[in-house]
């Protein structure tokens, strides 16, 4: 494993800590964006993907801790682990509420669990190069995924159209608290990848894998919700719907999403160029969940 220094600037570096949060889902409707089940369900896919995904992040990062030779980076990774563990639990807690509302997510989450625990899980490999290769590969995948979680976090912090349309405040706070912490720790996964490997070919290859998997899982998750929503007898999800909602500002815009691709693939890329730490920290200072809970 290589020993290059993390690239985050001192001005961007802040101490990362897991915040204790709590949410009361009792009043949150299934269609928490009024009269727009497609938008609600597209964002609800987060609750299906993130619990297993973020548990996997934590599992991989605990394995890589002994290889970190930079004390500040180790502190950042430990803070990242703490935040991701809380994110996983917070999204997991939404699933029983969805089930009470008549939409059982278990068939889909079982597939996601298989993906992270089996396909991307630990493999019986001999100590040495093969085991190190698989660990570096997963660290690189996490860096690529974190590029998009930070992109989404930055988007939701500024998605004022959701407020204008009367979106449920508890769900919005979950999304913005989580999004703000994603922006806050947006450099950690990339810095760790650069520290243990940093190979450009691996960055491109794992980006392609992560991006393809996210697009596949997201559209499949949205279709699952729309087709199994008990209030929508003929629920459908289309790419046209996604593009249209992006233009309206209630989902990320497709052009913005596409523009994020060459940024990550640029050799000069660093996540500190994305989003605003000040905006994230300001939201966390005012978030109901991060300041005593709902």
């Amino acid at each position: 494993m290589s020993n290059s220094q993390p690239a985050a600037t001192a001005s961007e570096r802040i101490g990362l800590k897991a915040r204790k949060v709590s949410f009361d889902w009792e009043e949150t409707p299934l269609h928490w964006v009024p009269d727009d089940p497609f938008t609600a369900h597209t964002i609800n896919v987060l609750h299906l993907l993130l619990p297993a995904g973020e548990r996997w992040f934590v599992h991989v990062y605990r394995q890589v801790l002994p290889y970190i030779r930079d004390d500040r980076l180790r502190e950042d990774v430990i803070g990242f682990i703490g935040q991701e563990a809380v994110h996983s639990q917070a999204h997991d807690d939404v699933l029983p509420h969805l089930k009470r509302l008549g939409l059982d997510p278990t068939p889909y989450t079982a597939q996601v669990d298989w993906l992270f625990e089996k396909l991307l899980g630990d493999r019986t490999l001999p100590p040495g190069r093969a085991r190190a290769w698989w660990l570096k590969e997963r660290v690189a995948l996490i860096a690529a995924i974190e590029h998009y979680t930070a992109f989404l976090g930055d988007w939701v912090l500024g998605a004022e159209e959701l407020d204008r349309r009367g979106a449920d405040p508890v769900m919005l706070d979950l999304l913005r608290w989580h999004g703000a912490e994603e922006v806050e720790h947006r450099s950690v996964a990339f810095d760790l990848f650069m520290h243990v490997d940093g190979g450009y070919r691996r960055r491109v290859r794992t980006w392609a894998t992560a991006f393809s998997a996210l697009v596949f899982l997201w559209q499949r998750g949205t279709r699952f919700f729309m087709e199994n929503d008990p209030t929508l007898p003929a629920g459908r999800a289309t790419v046209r719907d996604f593009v249209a909602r992006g233009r309206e500002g209630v989902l990320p815009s497709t052009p913005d999403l596409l523009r994020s691709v060459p940024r990550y693939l640029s050799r000069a890329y660093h996540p500190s160029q994305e989003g605003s730490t000040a905006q994230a920290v300001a939201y966390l200072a005012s978030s109901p969940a991060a300041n005593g809970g709902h």
Side-chain angles (χ1 to χ4, degrees):
M1 302 243 176
S2 69
N3 194 26
S4 59
Q5 294 299 307
T9 60
S11 62
E12 283 292 325
R13 187 180 289 279
I14 57 174
L16 299 174
K17 63 180 184 205
R19 295 170 177 86
K20 187 175 180 182
V21 293
S22 65
F23 301 92
D24 180 359
W25 297 112
E26 208 58 43
E27 303 299 320
T28 300
L30 186 59
H31 304 155
W32 54 268
V33 182
D35 305 315
D36 190 354
F38 178 82
T39 294
H41 286 327
T42 301
I43 298 176
N44 279 341
V45 176
L46 286 168
H47 312 312
L48 304 181
L49 297 179
L50 291 177
E54 291 178 314
R55 282 195 299 270
W56 176 72
F57 290 3
V58 169
H59 179 75
V60 171
Y61 274 18
R62 283 180 175 149
Q63 291 182 26
V64 87
L65 276 172
Y67 299 101
I68 300 174
R69 300 288 173 259
D70 180 277
D71 290 341
R72 286 199 304 182
L73 179 59
R74 185 184 294 106
E75 281 178 29
D76 286 347
V77 170
I78 290 168
F80 177 100
I81 286 171
Q83 289 188 340
E84 295 292 284
V86 177
H87 297 170
S88 173
Q89 188 59 54
H91 285 278
D92 219 11
D93 288 345
V94 182
L95 298 181
H97 180 62
L98 296 178
K99 199 169 181 177
R100 283 194 297 273
L101 295 173
L103 216 170
D104 181 5
T106 312
Y108 190 89
T109 54
Q111 296 174 23
V112 175
D113 289 346
W114 177 86
L115 171 75
F116 286 108
E117 292 171 15
K118 303 298 183 194
L119 191 63
L120 294 174
D122 296 337
R123 296 182 180 176
T124 308
L125 297 167
R129 291 180 67 180
R131 194 176 291 183
W133 181 90
W134 183 229
L135 187 56
K136 289 177 183 178
E137 200 76 358
R138 292 186 291 173
V139 167
L141 275 169
I142 293 171
I145 295 168
E146 281 288 300
H147 174 61
Y148 290 101
T149 58
F151 171 87
L152 293 172
D154 184 47
W155 171 77
V156 79
L157 286 170
E160 294 176 359
E161 187 61 26
L162 288 171
D163 301 274
R164 282 193 282 274
R165 298 206 182 180
D168 178 71
V170 180
M171 186 66 79
L172 268 186
D173 188 35
L174 167 70
L175 298 171
R176 287 177 174 156
W177 153 75
H178 185 172
E181 290 198 344
E182 291 297 329
V183 171
E184 186 182 45
H185 71 221
R186 68 193 179 280
S187 296
V188 176
F190 188 79
D191 286 346
L192 180 60
F193 166 63
M194 296 302 291
H195 185 74
V196 301
D197 180 69
Y200 184 72
R201 281 191 299 179
R202 175 172 268 140
R203 193 208 306 184
V204 172
R205 184 178 68 246
T206 52
W207 166 82
T209 302
F211 186 78
S212 304
L214 285 172
V215 169
F216 173 75
L217 290 168
W218 216 296
Q219 55 87 22
R220 189 172 168 149
T222 306
R223 282 212 318 268
F224 171 83
F225 270 136
M226 292 294 286
E227 290 168 5
N228 290 280
D229 185 323
T231 70
L232 303 173
R236 290 176 66 249
T238 68
V239 174
R240 185 181 296 174
D241 291 328
F242 182 84
V243 173
R245 298 307 196 284
R247 287 199 199 100
E248 294 168 17
V250 290
L251 288 176
S253 91
T254 302
D256 285 350
L257 198 53
L258 294 175
R259 279 192 289 268
S260 74
V261 173
R263 291 204 300 274
Y264 186 73
L265 298 180
S266 162
R267 288 183 182 272
Y269 170 80
H270 190 266
S272 58
Q273 302 153 3
E274 308 265 333
S276 163
T277 300
Q279 182 187 29
V281 170
Y283 184 78
L284 291 166
S286 66
S287 160
N291 291 279
H294 288 271

